[in-house]
């Protein structure tokens, strides 16, 4: 899997990954689809279907699992 954005992820991103990724794995059933459409570089807009108030957490994990570092 490709991981170009992770090289430059700072301390706070890594801390967030350590805290959020296991929490999301415990709370939600995840079935990722379409990760091949997330570009390796440049901007991308990802939209969730608002299943819950915690969508921002699951989208962040999706982006991370796609090999990118989440940013707003």
């Amino acid at each position: 899997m490709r991981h170009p954005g992770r090289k430059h992820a700072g301390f706070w991103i890594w801390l967030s990954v350590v805290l959020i990724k296991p929490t999301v794995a415990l709370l939600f059933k995840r079935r990722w689809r379409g990760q091949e459409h997330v570009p390796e570089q440049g901007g991308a807009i990802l939209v969730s279907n608002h299943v819950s108030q915690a969508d921002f957490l699951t989208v962040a994990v999706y982006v991370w699992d796609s090999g990118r570092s989440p940013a707003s």
Side-chain angles (χ1 to χ4, degrees):
M1 181 171 269
R2 56 185 194 220
H3 304 297
R6 293 185 184 183
K7 290 181 186 178
H8 303 292
F11 170 77
W12 295 109
I13 293 289
W14 283 104
L15 179 63
S16 298
V17 169
V18 169
L19 296 175
I20 293 172
K21 193 167 178 173
T23 303
V24 169
L26 286 172
L27 297 176
F28 301 102
K29 180 180 177 182
R30 300 173 298 161
R31 291 179 297 165
W32 300 148
R33 288 183 243 157
Q35 286 180 308
E36 66 276 6
H37 301 294
V38 178
E40 292 184 30
Q41 301 178 42
I45 297 174
L46 303 175
V47 181
S48 66
N49 61 358
H50 296 290
V51 173
S52 73
Q53 295 297 324
D55 284 346
F56 69 98
L57 295 173
T58 56
V59 170
V61 173
Y62 175 87
V63 171
W64 185 260
D65 287 348
S66 296
R68 298 283 304 260
S69 180
S72 57

